[in-house]
Amino acid sequence: MNDRKKVAFYTLGCKLNFSETSTIARNFQDEGFEKVDFSEHADMYVINTCSVTENADKRFKTIVKQAQKVNPDAFVAAVGCYAQLKPEELAAVDGVDLVLGATEKFKITDYINDLTKNEFGEVHSCEIEDADFYVGSYAVGDRTRAFLKVQDGCDYKCTYCTIPLARGISRSDTLENVLKNAKEISEQNIKEIVLTGVNIGDYGKGEFGNKKHEHTFLELVQELDKVEGIERLRISSIEPNLLKNETIDFVSKSSTFVPHFHIPLQSGSNTLLRLMRRRYMRELYVDRVTRIKKVMPDACIGVDVIVGFPGETDELFLETYNFLTELDISYLHVFTYSERENTVAADMEGVVPQNVRKKRSKMLRGLSVKMRRGFYESQLGKTKTVLFEGENKEGYIHGFTENYVKVKAPWNPELVNTLQEITLTKIDDDGIVRFDFVNEIVASS
């Protein structure tokens, strides 16, 4: 008879949240809990929240209801960014027993006694100034890639962003610990590691709990490149002002770092970049893209853009639109600006009506589809390496090339988690690329 307590997790938001949920889940397993799927009957449900996504509170309520439907007596805990920013609000949601802020979330097992439901949600959140220690974590996603957290928090003061309020100051994992985690991941036969953090280019800062640091992002990249057993390393989002030429050049020569960068732009108008308090002007952004394409002509470059920021007139929006069309980039992540309490931008003049925000967002999403298509077309006929994923999607197996072209082939379980050389041949009706194998299929474990 299995009387182990069962715990289930739900993660909202970014890759960083996913890596942290995994670490919290491992803590539970160390305490003897059995981890089950969120749709299954569990004694406890943990929801890792996000403050960036639209309608965060509505999503949260829906997820709590889902859990209660499966087990009305289950203990429900909320952790993460929204739990830090609005703890009382989450605690007031019907069925929530525990809300933990930024410093408490990794100590969640200390707060659980007998899983008896509380009459009111209990809140343990700190002043965000106290979030100055670092907890390393990594998530093993679909068994082919892992997200490795190297940094947390942010010292930037972008006027639209609540992350410094939700996650605290910029701080980093020690180089030694990052390398240890990377080795652990490689020993699980995982082929790709994606580096994550809130502001990973700031890596090294706060290694000792203060601003002093021994290492830089470039050194992190150089050391990770030496870890044996990892086939691919991918840098997730990195600020343009922190992506230095030395790093770009190193990636271009590395055998494990892949030619794929995701660089937030937010606006193509210098007027708006100033209002957003970004740390660069558009000219620097052009420099970064030009440099990457010069040393890695096939590199994939993804770009974050915000539409509808206060003060974004039609002229300034078009400035962004035209700027993007002239850049040699591969796709966009488009965010519609939404007001956040306790941010400078929430009180700015020149509020853009919601319908205009939606229209601009739609224009940029359309542009992104064209860009991705153009990028994929530029890769046809080339030979690349693909890492195949583990899911059978309607009879197809999917994967990504090193430069982030999505490909598909008829389902073949032997291909899962293998790297294969392929030649890209044509773009299918659904926008995904077909290919020919260069060699006979070689399956590995």
Side-chain angles (χ1 to χ4, degrees):
M1 155 108 184
N2 182 3
D3 56 359
R4 280 170 71 195
K5 293 266 189 256
K6 292 183 174 163
V7 61
F9 298 88
Y10 197 105
T11 306
L12 291 159
C14 62
K15 290 171 179 157
L16 183 58
N17 268 4
F18 279 92
S19 76
E20 292 183 344
T21 301
S22 283
T23 295
I24 294 167
R26 284 194 285 274
N27 294 344
F28 270 97
Q29 285 163 316
D30 291 345
E31 297 284 335
F33 280 77
E34 182 186 341
K35 184 183 164 201
V36 296
D37 193 75
F38 201 81
S39 58
E40 293 177 42
H41 190 282
D43 301 287
M44 177 168 183
Y45 294 91
V46 179
I47 303 164
N48 194 353
T49 62
C50 171
S51 63
V52 179
T53 41
E54 226 7 277
N55 300 326
D57 48 345
K58 281 201 195 88
R59 288 283 312 273
F60 178 74
K61 283 176 185 157
T62 311
I63 295 156
V64 172
K65 279 203 182 95
Q66 277 173 17
Q68 289 193 297
K69 215 179 222 165
V70 185
N71 180 6
D73 302 323
F75 190 89
V76 177
V79 300
C81 291
Y82 207 70
Q84 175 65 33
L85 290 174
K86 300 274 181 77
E88 308 299 338
E89 207 171 282
L90 294 190
V93 172
D94 201 28
V96 173
D97 299 293
L98 180 66
V99 178
L100 298 180
T103 58
E104 279 74 21
K105 62 187 169 192
F106 294 108
K107 302 182 261 188
I108 181 168
T109 51
D110 300 349
Y111 287 100
I112 299 156
N113 301 326
D114 54 359
L115 296 187
T116 314
K117 285 195 78 59
N118 293 325
E119 196 174 336
F120 302 105
E122 223 182 280
V123 174
H124 297 276
S125 75
C126 60
E127 288 304 311
I128 196 61
E129 289 70 39
D130 299 338
D132 58 2
F133 59 88
Y134 183 86
V135 177
S137 52
Y138 61 87
V140 176
D142 48 17
R143 282 273 165 249
T144 51
R145 70 170 59 82
F147 300 110
L148 172 59
K149 172 181 162 187
V150 298
Q151 182 275 343
D152 199 350
C154 189
D155 292 338
Y156 286 8
K157 300 282 184 285
C158 302
T159 51
Y160 50 82
C161 184
T162 54
I163 283 174
L165 300 170
R167 281 187 171 272
I169 59 168
S170 177
R171 52 210 190 273
S172 306
D173 206 347
T174 61
L175 189 56
E176 190 186 20
N177 200 44
V178 172
L179 295 173
K180 178 178 92 56
N181 283 340
K183 283 194 184 76
E184 279 178 23
I185 292 168
S186 73
E187 283 158 9
Q188 296 177 49
N189 191 27
I190 287 162
K191 303 280 194 285
E192 181 177 308
I193 291 180
V194 183
L195 302 183
T196 66
V198 172
N199 186 355
I200 64 172
D202 210 21
Y203 175 80
K205 193 191 272 185
E207 239 182 307
F208 305 100
N210 55 23
K211 298 291 174 224
K212 188 166 96 133
H213 60 94
E214 251 171 38
H215 300 107
T216 60
F217 183 69
L218 175 62
E219 287 171 319
L220 171 76
V221 164
Q222 288 168 332
E223 289 305 310
L224 278 167
D225 199 48
K226 298 173 191 163
V227 176
E228 280 178 30
I230 298 165
E231 307 271 353
R232 276 185 181 182
L233 283 155
R234 205 178 283 278
I235 297 168
S236 67
S237 190
I238 183 165
E239 293 283 309
N241 50 306
L242 295 173
L243 178 56
K244 304 282 193 263
N245 284 344
E246 296 81 22
T247 307
I248 294 171
D249 293 346
F250 182 81
V251 167
S252 74
K253 298 184 187 82
S254 159
S255 53
T256 48
F257 274 91
V258 294
H260 174 209
F261 295 87
H262 194 92
I263 314 169
L265 167 68
Q266 311 311 13
S267 172
S269 148
N270 282 344
T271 309
L272 287 176
L273 288 172
R274 285 189 191 97
L275 282 174
M276 291 175 169
R277 288 197 200 146
R278 301 292 286 153
R279 303 231 175 161
Y280 52 87
M281 292 288 109
R282 56 187 256 168
E283 291 73 16
L284 174 99
Y285 202 91
V286 175
D287 282 355
R288 301 296 80 203
V289 171
T290 311
R291 180 74 178 207
I292 291 167
K293 285 293 190 177
K294 184 179 163 212
V295 293
M296 291 171 268
D298 285 349
C300 176
I301 302 175
V303 180
D304 288 340
V305 197
I306 294 172
V307 295
F309 188 79
E312 186 182 58
T313 58
D314 284 346
E315 291 74 28
L316 292 182
F317 170 70
L318 282 175
E319 211 179 302
T320 294
Y321 189 91
N322 295 330
F323 179 68
L324 289 167
T325 56
E326 286 159 23
L327 278 177
D328 190 359
I329 52 180
S330 319
Y331 63 90
L332 306 173
H333 274 178
V334 184
F335 298 89
T336 306
Y337 172 74
S338 67
E339 285 74 4
R340 292 282 179 262
E341 274 178 46
N342 301 321
T343 57
V344 177
D347 301 321
M348 282 183 179
E349 289 170 6
V351 173
V352 178
Q354 290 293 350
N355 61 330
V356 177
R357 294 183 207 185
K358 279 204 176 92
K359 188 176 121 194
R360 289 177 185 169
S361 170
K362 200 172 172 184
M363 279 176 73
L364 286 187
R365 290 201 165 104
L367 179 62
S368 179
V369 169
K370 275 194 210 133
M371 283 177 165
R372 195 183 297 263
R373 176 103 195 174
F375 174 61
Y376 282 7
E377 280 172 355
S378 75
Q379 298 303 300
L380 295 180
K382 296 189 175 179
T383 297
K384 298 286 168 198
T385 305
V386 65
L387 173 59
F388 285 104
E389 298 183 348
E391 203 182 331
N392 181 343
K393 289 187 183 162
E394 293 168 11
Y396 287 94
I397 188 167
H398 291 84
F400 284 94
T401 61
E402 61 271 46
N403 61 341
Y404 218 56
V405 173
K406 190 174 188 183
V407 303
K408 70 175 193 183
W411 173 253
N412 175 353
E414 286 191 358
L415 290 174
V416 172
N417 200 28
T418 66
L419 287 150
Q420 305 285 347
E421 252 194 297
I422 59 166
T423 304
L424 304 171
T425 54
K426 67 177 182 119
I427 302 173
D428 226 345
D429 296 343
D430 56 6
I432 300 173
V433 180
R434 296 297 200 117
F435 59 86
D436 293 329
F437 284 102
V438 171
N439 307 312
E440 282 298 301
I441 296 167
V442 190
S444 76
S445 60

